[in-house]
Amino acid sequence: MARIKLVYVFLDVENIPSHPYAFRIRRFSRRFGKVHPDRLRAYAVNWRIREESKKMLEKASFLTKNVAPGENAVDNRIIRDCTTFSQQGRPQDVYILVSGDGDYVEMVEMLHQRDKYVVCLTSKAHAASKRLLQCVDEHYFLEDLYSS
């Protein structure tokens, strides 16, 4: 019997303003397996300047994670959380990264070594790292996700 895959979603809010697509991202992620609010995460250093984004993401059941300021702070926190989840998870779990940042290439390679499937969502309005897009299993634009 095939196991239902667990789906993890990580939004780098500082890289791509993804809040207008929050409900679409959640719906899209369900096509890959079981999604639970504990595995829907959005990261930012300062949510006070992103109050509307925070409200919309939380309404769509995302956990909004505060990150301490610092160089590549959000990237490092997402990498750390992905590393932790991938150690505890099952083979073939799905990781959806909402970012076009090339700093995630090594993380994607690590997830592949742990037999994880990686999907990347980017925006047409923000340039994405070609290296990142080449190493993920699937890539989609947020603007192309169906609204229904």
Side-chain angles (χ1 to χ4, degrees):
M1 178 181 351
R3 280 189 168 164
I4 296 175
K5 296 175 184 174
L6 300 180
V7 179
Y8 299 82
V9 181
F10 299 88
L11 277 67
D12 182 341
V13 175
E14 297 191 356
N15 183 263
I16 297 177
S18 50
H19 64 279
Y21 305 99
F23 287 97
R24 292 181 192 189
I25 293 166
R26 192 184 70 194
R27 262 190 307 277
F28 170 81
S29 63
R30 289 184 191 143
R31 71 190 269 195
F32 294 97
K34 184 177 179 183
V35 180
H36 186 275
D38 287 345
R39 294 186 300 268
L40 291 170
R41 294 168 172 249
Y43 300 78
V45 169
N46 186 350
W47 284 108
R48 281 180 283 183
I49 64 171
R50 295 176 173 84
E51 209 44 57
E52 285 302 311
S53 298
K54 183 176 183 183
K55 287 177 187 174
M56 188 172 289
L57 289 161
E58 289 175 345
K59 189 174 180 182
S61 300
F62 280 84
L63 291 175
T64 51
K65 306 299 271 180
N66 292 310
V67 179
E71 187 175 342
N72 294 323
V74 169
D75 300 357
N76 292 333
R77 177 70 183 274
I78 289 175
I79 291 167
R80 188 179 79 215
D81 286 357
C82 279
T83 300
T84 301
F85 281 123
S86 68
Q87 290 171 335
Q88 301 166 354
R90 305 179 295 199
Q92 294 300 311
D93 285 346
V94 178
Y95 286 71
I96 298 175
L97 176 64
V98 185
S99 177
D101 192 333
D103 291 341
Y104 295 112
V105 170
E106 288 182 23
M107 179 192 78
V108 171
E109 292 170 347
M110 176 271 302
L111 290 170
H112 283 151
Q113 289 172 355
R114 294 181 177 178
D115 201 24
K116 309 302 181 191
Y117 194 82
V118 183
V119 177
C120 187
L121 298 175
T122 62
S123 173
K124 292 177 181 178
H126 296 82
S129 163
K130 289 181 181 171
R131 276 191 67 215
L132 176 65
L133 300 183
Q134 289 171 345
C135 73
V136 297
D137 297 295
E138 294 184 39
H139 168 251
Y140 299 91
F141 289 111
L142 290 167
E143 296 86 351
D144 294 340
L145 298 181
Y146 293 105
S147 60
S148 58

